[in-house]
Every structure is written in C-alpha cells, then in structure tokens.
Amino acid sequence: NHITGIVGVSIVIVMMQSDMNARSALEKDMRQAIARGEYRFHYQPQIDESGRVFSVEALLRWYHPSRGSVSPMEFIPLAEETGLIIPIGEWGLRTACAQLAEWAKSPQTAHLIIAVNVSATQFRQPDFVQEVKSILLLNGAEPSRLKLELTETALADDIDAVVTKMQALKEIGVTWSLDDFGTGYSSLSLLKRLPLDQLKIDKSFVSDLLSDERSVAIINTLVDLSKTLNLTVIAEGVEDEKQLSALKSIGCLSYQGYLFSRPLPISELNDLIMSEHAV
Ligand code: C2E
Ligand code: CA
Ligand code: CA
Ligand code: CA
C-alpha cells in the first residue's frame, strides 16, 4: 500500500513534469512565433441593418510548422500568464493599423472598421494609450476606423484610471466595444461612467435564444440598456436565420456569426468585400 502510494505520487510528479515541459515548449514556440511570422489575423465580417459589412473583427491565428493551426483558446491563456500577450497584442495593433492604411487607399474598402481584441493585461500597461497612438501614427491609420474590444475583466481595476485611458483614445476617434457582454458583473453605474460606443452580446445568449426564454429576456434587457446608454449593440455567434429574425424583432440590428461568414484570411475577406460592390 505504502509502495503503491509512492508509485502513485511519482506518477503524478512525472505527469506534472511532462505537463510543465509541454507548457514551456509551447511558451518558447509562442515567443519565437512573432519573429517567424507565424501569427496571422483572420477577419470576421460584422453586418449592419442593410446586410452590408461595416466592420470586421480581427481574430488571431497561429500557424506553427509542426503544431499546425493552434487555436487562440489554447495559447491566449498561457500568453496572458507569461506576459507574452504584450508583444502579441502589439503585433496585433500594428497588423490591424497597417491593414487599415491599406484599405484607406481604395474607395471600396475605406469605410471598413477593424475591431481588435485587447486583453486586460495589455490594457493595464501604463503606456497602452501612447502605444496605440504611436502605432496609428506610424502606419498612417485613421483612428476612427479602429475599434477596441475589452472584456469586463479589464474594467475590474481602478475605475478612474480605466475611464482616463478610454477617454484619451476616444478623443482621437478610437471607439470602444464591450465584449462578451452579459457574462460578467458590470453594474449599471459602472457602465454609465465608461466612454463606450458598443455593447457586444455574448454568443452564449444567442445560441440559447430559441430554446431558453431567459436568454430572450436577457437579450431584451441588454438591447434596452444599450439604448438607455446611447450605445450601439451587436450580437455575436449568429448561426441561423431563426436566431437572426429573433434578434431583429428584439431590436438588435448588427450581427456577427457563421450565418454571414466565418473569420476569413485577408485575401478571402477582400474578395467578399469586392463582390458586395459588384452587385
Ligand atoms: P471572442 O473575442 O469572443 O471572439 C469570438 C469567437 O467566436 C471567435 O473564436 C470566433 O471565431 C467565434 N465565432 C464567430 N462566429 C461564431 C458563430 O457563429 N458561432 C460560434 N460558435 N462561434 C463563432 P476564436 O477566433 O477561436 O477566438 C477565441 C477567443 O480568443 C476570442 O473570443 C478572444 O477572446 C480571443 N482572441 C482572439 N484573437 C485575439 C487577439 O488578437 N487578442 C486577444 N487578446 N484575444 C484574442
Ligand atoms: Ca472579441
Ligand atoms: Ca465575444
Ligand atoms: Ca468570448
């Protein structure tokens, strides 16, 4: 019994060890991925009332030569823990701003907005505002075409500091969207203080929309709230026509989801935008 106990403990230690090795190998690969150009953005269309693409969300993809395509769900949490989210986030802002400058050259794409996900860790950096400003400037990107998506986690800190940062970028035209809305604990009084432009209804409510009366009630409340606060509202994770018509009747008029398009590599997105203009 004593022996099996020791064996058991050793097995657990060996497993923990290999888990740690796997993690540090992943961390090392993540660290090198920027220099090796292994990160890409895919862009998912956001659709307005008229059915047109008015904006896209930039979603990170990691193409590793031997790991293959690694999902952000797998590496963003570790990137947060190790602080690697800082250089990755900076890469993301540069990439998005370079893309905006590229799109500004053509009348068919100049109207497009790019939404970039900003992690709480990244937002917390003291020089975050300055960094966004200088990346915009360096790339010659129009600030009003950049939308930053924050989750409620980022708002948990000192509220005055959060408001000051958001305000500083809003002053130059950058807009703010609150991601995964409804899943966190933001109070109405907190929301009132934030210089937000958009609320993004979490896809969990959209996916339950047809089966769960409570999700309908929650979405109703979120849409009303957005009107009260004078914010636009967008639903994510819209997968079928039934969800779309339910959202419409609730009064949510912007959408993102597989019903319209998956996140696309830049060339496919450009084709999609061009084909919109052809009709
Ligand atoms: P998120 O910001 O909530 O992004 C929405 C996720 O839903 C994306 O997953 C998107 O591909 C997926 N999605 C879009 N339409 C549908 C749909 O109709 N149905 C369903 N079931 N899913 C849909 P993805 O691309 O795997 O990204 C996962 C998460 O990783 C993101 O969630 C975000 O939190 C994080 N992430 C992605 N890119 C970045 C980034 O550049 N920076 C940071 N900090 N986080 C990122
Ligand atoms: Ca997002
Ligand atoms: Ca989301
Ligand atoms: Ca999410």
Side-chain angles (χ1 to χ4, degrees), residues 2-24:
H2 187 64
I3 300 286
T4 49
I6 291 170
V7 171
V9 167
S10 323
I11 288 173
V12 168
I13 290 172
V14 168
M15 282 169 62
M16 282 168 60
Q17 188 66 49
S18 73
D19 200 48
M20 271 161 55
N21 290 343
R23 273 171 60 99
S24 63

Side-chain angles (χ1 to χ4, degrees), residues 57 73 117 151 179-181 183 202-204 236:
E57 179 177 4
M73 308 288 229
N117 291 285
T151 59
D179 201 1
D180 300 345
F181 189 59
T183 60
D202 190 65
K203 59 176 173 290
S204 60
E236 70 175 6

Side-chain angles (χ1 to χ4, degrees), residues 76 80 85-86 89 116-125 128 149-151 153-154:
I76 299 251
E80 295 263 8
I85 195 69
I86 305 300
V116 176
N117 291 285
V118 174
S119 87
T121 314
Q122 192 185 358
F123 182 72
R124 245 172 234 140
Q125 297 300 298
F128 177 75
E149 291 194 5
L150 283 180
T151 59
T153 326

Side-chain angles (χ1 to χ4, degrees), residues 99-120:
Q99 189 57 55
L100 285 174
E102 190 59 36
W103 279 342
K105 295 177 193 163
S106 156
Q108 277 113 329
T109 49
H111 65 289
L112 291 170
I113 289 168
I114 299 185
V116 176
N117 291 285
V118 174
S119 87

